[in-house]
Amino acid sequence: MHSDRRKLRSVEAIGADRDAGAWAARVLDGASLVVAGPRGSGRSHLLRGITAEIERLGGHAVVLHTASALSREPFGAVDAAADPALAMLRTPSDDHTVMDGVLVVDDIELLDAASAQAIARAVASRSLVAVLAHRTARPRDIEPHDDADGARRGLRDLWVEGLARRVDLTELSDEDAFRLIDVFPDAGLLDSPTRAALVWRADRSRALLRRLVLHAIADARAGRDPLEAFRSIAPHSRLAVALERHMSDMPTDDLESLAGIRRLAHLEMAVATRFFEVDSLQALTARGLLHADPSPERRLTANDLIAQEAQRRLGVARIDALVDAVGRRMLAESDEWWSPAVAVTIAQRWHRLGPQLSGEAAHAPAVRARIALDAAREANDRGDASHAAAYAARGLKSADVPALRLEAELAARVAVGADGTDDGGDVEMRRRLARGVVEDQGHERRGETSPDRALADARVDELLAQAAHAGARLEWTAAAEFAGRATAEVSAAPAARLRALVAAGTAEAIAGGWRRARVCYRAAERMLDARYVSDGLLARDRLTALISMLAGHQIAGADGAAVHARLERELARTAREGDGAELTLAGAAAAIAFAGAGRALESRRELASAMSRTPSAVADLDTTMIELSVAEELALAGRFDDARAILVRLDDRGIPLLRRSSLYVQTTILAAEGRHDAARVAARGAADLTRGRSAAALRIRDLFRLTALGAASEDEVDELVQLAATTDLPLAAEAVRRASARSSAEEDLPVDELRLHALWSTRDVSREHSDAMVDFPRPPELSVATGELTAREHEIALMADEGLTNREIATRLFLSVRTVESHIYQARAKVGAASRKELGRMVAAEVERERAAARPSAPVEDNGVNPAAPPADEQTAALPDLPGTAPRFTRRE
């Protein structure tokens, strides 16, 4: 308990100008302070810290507590304190007696006029050292006026007259907010999307964030989703009181804008300005209480916690009337403007009241069908199939519209395809494809030209479906070809192009073409970074892309820290734009990111939280692959039961990719448990599935495991070397290096050796991103210790330096050409040589240096040049590893 309290006390140290010890030292030197900050900025925390530090440093602090009940009584707060040291404030003397101690007053805006004047007079006459804190107003806040304001202004202005030092406390930044969350006990229960959502809901207030975090941790302990629990806050609870105080000065226009847009989720900015004050919308957007997405329509989302309190203050009836008025106006002006967000609220009202009370029969059938279509689409996109079916059925009674029939059919599928075998991802693709076809047919019926974009989107989704099925069969070269053809559809919508690029990148990575994968990923990153994209990219599109990119980096053995940093930035946007489906995707992406960083428990937490929200948002195949990744990390972390529990409940459904991945994870678990014979059987099963398939990244891993477990044949070792030589995957050289550095006599292998991919770095990569294609760093020209190479590798390297071909070397040494190639590749991996030619030159240069070292030292000539020293380029080659360059691989001791 005491350690928890110490952690919570450290909250006040996070942020600028919050060093209580430094301020206490200034005060004891005779400097008065005026601490200013808005509500929730941590003024009280800082004052308590300064008071404690004054006492610790041997001083005396007199704390004057203010209260609204005493603000109209002359010297009300002074008399209530009953401290003899404060008598000088009521009856000042002419001898300028200095008060013993430091006066500390929080919330000076609650002081009565007499006390405020007396304190100001004492500070000005240097007979009192005081630490005074007052609340500053936020933009647009309403400040009630009373008769004591003039006297209080004298206190606030002490710093203006040079009589005190002003300390400005800024509002909580997002970075500091995340640091504060980590301070709380059991903060590890909160997943990444929840943390991002808490930071946004706190509205930059430390006080509100503290209550939100404590509330969220309690909900997480009880097995509830903290974000769902916030939809119903108990009146008079600590959180409710903190929220009420936080919003006490907000003007009515802002309250109405927040509460209205909360009910009209994703309302377009142009439509919002028809019903809400423009100044209010702009101010709330600038402050962050309203979020406008990057689409041309600038769809708005309100901070739901603040907006919920706004509705409570204004009354539900007032907001209901406002939303109904918006709907009636849109129906009356439907030939002029239309908003799907408003249409959804109308459909909800009609659904709730029924045809008799809602008055829907008074509107044209085409309008009723349009209302139903927007509502059915929105429900289907949220995964709410039951409401989507209800809206579609209601609309079909008004008009037989193909688009409505399609939404009814999509709702009926829920999470399985029409043939009963496809997973959620296939349904999502079919949904986009079918909608495009229906819209295209609609244009043809009206005699209009068929839109190229709809056709291009349909082709993209069809090609990506074929790529997904090829990948499931472990035919990743074919998958890369299908996805590559999809990237050529330049007239497709941005979301479709983004899907194509990341699919092509991931397929290329698994097939063994990391450089081609990076080209696709860079193009996708440029789309994600674009400030303005025609038709916009929804949170779901961006998160799905990040999931694929994270998986591609992990499979290729590449450092995915940059993509992880991008995900952390995306979480802030998702917390504003997204709903359950988007939060599920964000959690799935975070699970992959933590798995790639070797953080097994965090990875399991993210996935469990994600799947508790809207599991249908992630395709079944993707979910299974993520779960397998989490299970492997748990096994490597020694949590065998947890890993096996995940593995037992998974069904590979006869899909080769899932079957192979399941066997791969079984190998890890069995090896971790010390059951090496069973691990070899599982590893053999995985390798049998990738034999002859175009999945180089997976095949290299399987062959490496067979080698590491002592179960690989000579041909399989040669295949591993050949694959590593013909691919540019980051894990390729690592596989050969690790395999070649082990003795064949080493049988019992630690489980950590089965982790082929290197853990992702933890450096700050947020500023390292560049749109330009980044070439792979070439290893520096290093000196090579001949003891690192076997005698045969050393001999072959010198022959290569002489210009002999591999066939000539094989003939001279009575070896096969494949054996010579294997020796050369292993030698290159050991010394970090970029090519065969460089290997020979490095080994030859080392031999020459050894010979030079054995000769007597030559005298230094007058020009300062040592004739025995190696040439300048060889001096450069002898330099040690430099920061930012590829490491030099050496044999492990």
Side-chain angles (χ1 to χ4, degrees), residues 505-506 509-510 514 517-518 521 546-564 588-600 603 622-634 636 660-661 664-665 697-698 700-701 705 729-732 754-760:
T506 302
I510 301 176
W514 181 241
R518 291 297 296 140
Y521 285 160
L546 289 177
I547 287 177
S548 186
M549 292 167 67
L550 286 164
H553 280 76
Q554 186 179 35
I555 292 171
D559 191 342
V563 187
H564 191 180
I592 299 175
F594 282 124
R599 298 166 64 179
S603 181
D622 292 339
T623 301
T624 303
M625 293 297 291
I626 296 171
E627 288 181 311
L628 287 170
S629 176
V630 173
E632 183 180 20
E633 290 304 322
L634 288 169
L636 289 168
R660 175 263 164 200
S661 300
Y664 187 87
V665 176
L698 305 181
I700 287 174
R701 292 174 180 273
R705 290 203 156 182
L729 293 170
L731 63 82
L754 294 180
R755 185 200 294 281
L756 182 53
H757 67 277
L759 294 182
W760 295 354

Side-chain angles (χ1 to χ4, degrees), residues 139-157:
R140 295 177 60 81
D141 273 2
I142 299 173
E143 291 190 273
H145 178 80
D146 63 36
D147 296 337
D149 278 352
R152 294 167 187 154
R153 188 177 302 112
L155 285 177
R156 292 195 298 264
D157 291 347

